[in-house]
């Protein structure tokens, strides 16, 4: 898993492009932000919860510090660290 502790700053915003129903959970850095692959289906917020948990784990912070501020129903999401 990618170590993203260097991104942890209060108020920082992180762009993530999500691919649900992937073969494995993974975070991959790209030029435009991060690419997240999650194994869950995109229904009832399951994929959003999985991405939040994956992102928080790779940053070494609790998931409660991450807020999804844009893209709840889209592939492109924007998270903010509280």
């Amino acid at each position: 898993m990618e170590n993203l502790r260097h991104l942890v700053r209060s108020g920082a915003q992180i762009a993530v492009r999500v691919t649900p129903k992937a073969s494995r959970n993974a975070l991959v850095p790209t030029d435009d932000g991060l690419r997240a692959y999650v194994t869950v289906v995109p229904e009832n917020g399951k994929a959003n919860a999985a991405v939040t948990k994956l992102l928080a784990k790779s940053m070494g912070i609790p998931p409660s510090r991450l807020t999804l501020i844009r893209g709840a129903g889209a592939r492109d999401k924007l998270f903010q660290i509280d």
Side-chain angles (χ1 to χ4, degrees):
M1 175 170 302
E2 189 73 28
N3 184 346
L4 302 175
R5 292 181 192 271
H6 64 280
L7 297 176
V8 179
R9 286 186 331 273
S10 185
Q13 294 183 348
I14 300 159
V16 181
R17 181 156 180 97
V18 178
T19 301
K21 297 193 296 184
S23 61
R24 60 181 167 72
N25 289 331
L27 279 173
V28 179
T30 65
D31 293 338
D32 300 333
L34 288 173
R35 188 85 192 222
Y37 299 92
V38 292
T39 58
V40 297
V41 294
E43 59 186 31
N44 300 325
K46 291 178 185 175
N48 290 338
V51 171
T52 302
K53 184 177 176 183
L54 185 64
L55 194 55
K57 183 176 181 181
S58 68
M59 293 181 165
I61 61 174
S64 60
R65 285 195 58 197
L66 287 174
T67 304
L68 179 60
I69 58 174
R70 189 172 64 226
R75 290 170 52 103
D76 293 316
K77 301 180 185 307
L78 188 63
F79 287 91
Q80 182 168 328
I81 301 173
D82 297 330

